[in-house]
């Protein structure tokens, strides 16, 4: 079962390089530290900093700050900090073993749209896939620094 192989509980952060090939393709990089994250989208140039109770959005040289609670979906943006939502890990089976970028990984089909690949050596996710269009490669587990707000004046919305 997934609960037997996933061991991310004691790790404070990770980096995800993601790509979503949809009607409006998105790619970028997300750095997670605890409940905070920094997210940079390559195509749009938008940066988001979720720090404490505030989310900062930087675009075109301007910065806007809003209460994080006003963005109910912000904690689920792109790559979730938690391995799965809604279904306990002890109810999700490991379906196979494969190799991702030279690393052996368990295949865990969370549901018909979501698959995660977990290193057989570390117990950390190395890849998340969403349906046919999204993929995130995860690395640098436990090696990220705390996320700080952008170093600029931000207008409060």
């Amino acid at each position: 079962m997934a609960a037997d192989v996933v061991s991310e509980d004691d790790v404070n952060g990770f980096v995800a390089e993601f790509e979503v090939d949809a009607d409006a393709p998105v790619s970028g990089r997300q750095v997670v530290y605890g409940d905070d994250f920094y997210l940079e989208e390559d195509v749009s140039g938008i940066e988001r900093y979720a720090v404490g109770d505030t989310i900062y959005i930087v675009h075109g040289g301007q910065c806007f700050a809003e209460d994080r609670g006003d963005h109910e979906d912000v904690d689920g943006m792109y790559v979730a900090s938690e391995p799965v939502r809604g279904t306990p890990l002890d109810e999700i089976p490991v379906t196979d073993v494969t190799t991702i970028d030279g690393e052996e990984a368990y295949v865990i089909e969370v549901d018909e749209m979501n698959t995660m690949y977990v290193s057989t050596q570390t117990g950390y996710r190395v890849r998340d896939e969403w349906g046919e269009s999204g993929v995130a490669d995860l690395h640098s587990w436990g090696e990220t620094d705390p996320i700080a707000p952008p170093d600029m004046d931000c207008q409060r919305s």
Side-chain angles (χ1 to χ4, degrees):
M1 299 307 269
D4 298 326
V5 299
V6 177
S7 59
E8 299 173 2
D9 290 342
D10 296 331
V11 182
N12 211 16
F14 62 90
V15 175
E17 312 287 340
F18 63 88
E19 191 169 317
V20 180
D21 185 24
D23 294 336
V26 177
S27 63
R29 181 172 185 263
Q30 181 178 3
V31 179
V32 175
Y33 185 87
D35 291 331
D36 298 338
F37 68 82
Y38 166 77
L39 175 68
E40 179 180 21
E41 295 178 4
D42 295 334
V43 176
S44 68
I46 294 174
E47 297 175 272
R48 290 182 178 88
Y49 300 74
V51 181
D53 293 334
T54 304
I55 182 163
Y56 303 88
I57 302 168
V58 178
H59 187 255
Q62 295 184 320
C63 180
F64 301 93
E66 300 177 2
D67 289 338
R68 195 166 176 173
D70 293 341
H71 293 268
E72 292 178 15
D73 62 336
V74 75
D75 294 318
M77 284 184 155
Y78 302 99
V79 182
S81 296
E82 57 213 44
V84 294
R85 295 172 189 236
T87 305
L89 287 174
D90 59 1
E91 294 179 15
I92 304 171
V94 174
T95 56
D96 202 356
V97 175
T98 191
T99 302
I100 301 289
D101 296 330
E103 185 172 358
E104 191 172 78
Y106 297 110
V107 179
I108 301 171
E109 295 176 6
V110 177
D111 55 37
E112 57 277 347
M113 294 297 293
N114 299 289
T115 303
M116 63 181 175
Y117 300 84
V118 175
S119 169
T120 60
Q121 296 294 314
T122 65
Y124 305 150
R125 286 174 290 156
V126 293
R127 179 172 289 165
D128 283 349
E129 293 177 352
W130 317 283
E132 297 177 15
S133 64
V135 64
D137 290 317
L138 294 82
H139 57 87
S140 302
W141 285 92
E143 299 174 13
T144 60
D145 293 323
I147 308 299
D151 189 20
M152 59 192 305
D153 290 330
C154 298
Q155 296 177 2
R156 182 60 87 168
S157 296

